[in-house]
Amino acid sequence: MAKNQSRTPGRDVRGGKGRGARPQAGRPGAPKGKGPRGEKFPRGERPRGSRGASASRGPARGGRDQRDRSDLIEGRRAVEEALACGMPLRSALVQERSGERDQALERIAARLEEAGVAVERVPRARLDALSSHGAHQGVVVRARPFAYAELSDVIAAAGSGDALVVVLDHVTDQGNFGAIVRTAEVVGAAGVVVAKARAASVGVGAYKTSAGAVLHLPIAQVPNLARALEELKAAGFWACAATEHAETDVWHAPFAGRLALVMGSEGEGVSRLVAETCDFSCRLPQRGRVESLNVAQATTVLCYEWLRRVELGEDGADGR
């Protein structure tokens, strides 16, 4: 198999179905059940809706805390990452001192003050009200809105050689989104592409579950995923839809070189139009009885398979 190093317009994908193939929508794994509105999903995983994790507790009561929380960062590690990369921060709420001083928390408060961030000491109850999951660890920071990259920035970061771009087709859960960004950053992906509407955005949940990776990887928001895939293909990428309906498993798919990996939403998988725009599809093989992996777990497996091929210098699924 030829390596996914560059693409020739109109040429079929090696081992795939070629341009114009129509892989069915879905995610890697086993057959799905149906939800109350007829949507399909694996048992045990229900669509989580379009609200991010930052909205999971509902609005806080009182004052300015009722504002949109997508600009909040909570947790010590995430705040330290924000400070380390020089992310512009507006203000910080730090838990007021108790009888025993928390030296680690005090060091973070001092770093915030040294960075010129206004620090306000507040009761733990106020931090609990702001927290999306109760794991604020005594500090919540309000940042300026996240600066998304342009698709052209992701393409530029990919350079001209082997490169991976993860495209998320309306993944809605911030926990899944953050975990995927973390995986993408760890394997050296050029960037992540997400939809502007009906999809998770970079908020407190994504900061937390990505362990700060959202600060180190270009994340592009686009109005039309199918059009974004066409631009990636024009830049030499092969587009692969991850779906359990694929005829080819990932071990035998052309998964090296320049790859745009499309992962579907928690509830509906890869949409029809996006799937039709892809060059080929693949699935994860499965032997167990449990239904398919969730989208974050499946993305991790697939990203590492791409990295394995690249690290070994394989030209394609057969290793030649």
Side-chain angles (χ1 to χ4, degrees):
M1 293 185 183
K3 193 173 185 179
N4 292 2
Q5 183 62 31
S6 61
R7 56 183 299 127
T8 302
R11 175 185 169 198
D12 283 350
V13 175
R14 296 85 50 233
K17 297 179 181 179
R19 179 76 178 271
R22 299 191 176 189
Q24 299 180 39
R27 292 181 297 114
K32 300 176 179 179
K34 288 191 176 181
R37 296 193 299 271
E39 69 272 27
K40 295 183 178 181
F41 48 80
R43 286 194 300 271
E45 183 180 350
R46 296 297 188 266
R48 295 179 171 88
S50 59
R51 294 193 308 166
S54 61
S56 60
R57 288 178 173 262
R61 296 184 179 182
R64 59 184 178 181
D65 293 345
Q66 291 184 352
R67 295 182 297 178
D68 176 28
R69 304 180 187 185
S70 63
D71 58 351
L72 295 183
I73 304 171
E74 63 177 291
R76 300 181 185 186
R77 182 171 182 177
V79 170
E80 288 177 334
E81 287 277 356
L83 284 166
C85 76
M87 183 178 183
L89 304 175
R90 289 181 174 175
S91 58
L93 301 179
V94 177
Q95 186 173 331
E96 58 189 4
R97 297 181 180 89
S98 59
E100 296 182 4
R101 294 187 59 173
D102 186 330
Q103 295 299 324
L105 184 59
E106 293 305 314
R107 284 194 294 270
I108 292 173
R111 287 186 62 192
L112 287 165
E113 291 174 340
E114 290 171 3
V117 180
V119 176
E120 180 182 357
R121 297 282 180 168
V122 298
R124 181 182 179 88
R126 184 172 175 189
L127 296 175
D128 289 341
L130 282 172
S131 175
S132 64
H133 40 61
H136 52 74
Q137 299 174 307
V139 59
V140 174
V141 170
R142 187 176 296 279
R144 291 191 175 91
F146 183 77
Y148 288 93
E150 299 293 334
L151 182 59
S152 59
D153 298 323
V154 174
I155 293 173
S160 58
D162 296 334
L164 174 68
V165 173
V166 179
V167 180
L168 302 184
D169 188 359
H170 296 93
V171 169
T172 58
D173 181 77
Q174 277 206 7
N176 284 335
F177 176 43
I180 290 169
V181 172
R182 183 175 185 174
T183 293
E185 201 281 330
V186 168
V187 302
V192 174
V193 178
V194 300
K196 281 188 176 180
R198 298 179 291 109
S201 57
V202 179
V204 59
Y207 275 106
K208 187 71 175 180
T209 56
S210 75
V214 293
L215 305 175
H216 305 299
L217 189 71
I219 301 174
Q221 270 189 336
V222 298
N224 188 306
L225 288 173
R227 189 175 304 140
L229 284 172
E230 293 290 1
E231 290 187 41
L232 287 167
K233 292 199 291 186
F237 285 85
W238 295 94
C240 171
T243 165
E244 71 271 26
H245 301 295
E247 296 178 2
T248 306
D249 65 44
V250 65
W251 315 137
H252 299 90
F255 222 66
R258 292 173 72 79
L259 182 71
L261 174 62
V262 182
M263 304 300 300
S265 69
E266 294 90 344
E268 299 179 358
V270 179
S271 63
R272 180 184 59 81
L273 179 58
V274 170
E276 290 175 357
T277 308
C278 290
D279 296 298
F280 66 102
S281 60
C282 74
R283 59 179 171 78
L284 288 176
Q286 181 172 332
R287 291 185 177 181
R289 299 179 181 179
V290 177
E291 298 266 4
S292 59
L293 301 176
N294 74 20
V295 64
Q297 295 169 325
T299 304
T300 297
V301 175
L302 293 168
C303 284
Y304 269 95
E305 174 59 10
W306 172 85
L307 181 60
R308 185 188 73 84
R309 304 272 186 96
V310 170
E311 289 288 317
L312 294 178
E314 294 187 4
D315 289 340
D318 60 4
R320 294 198 297 267

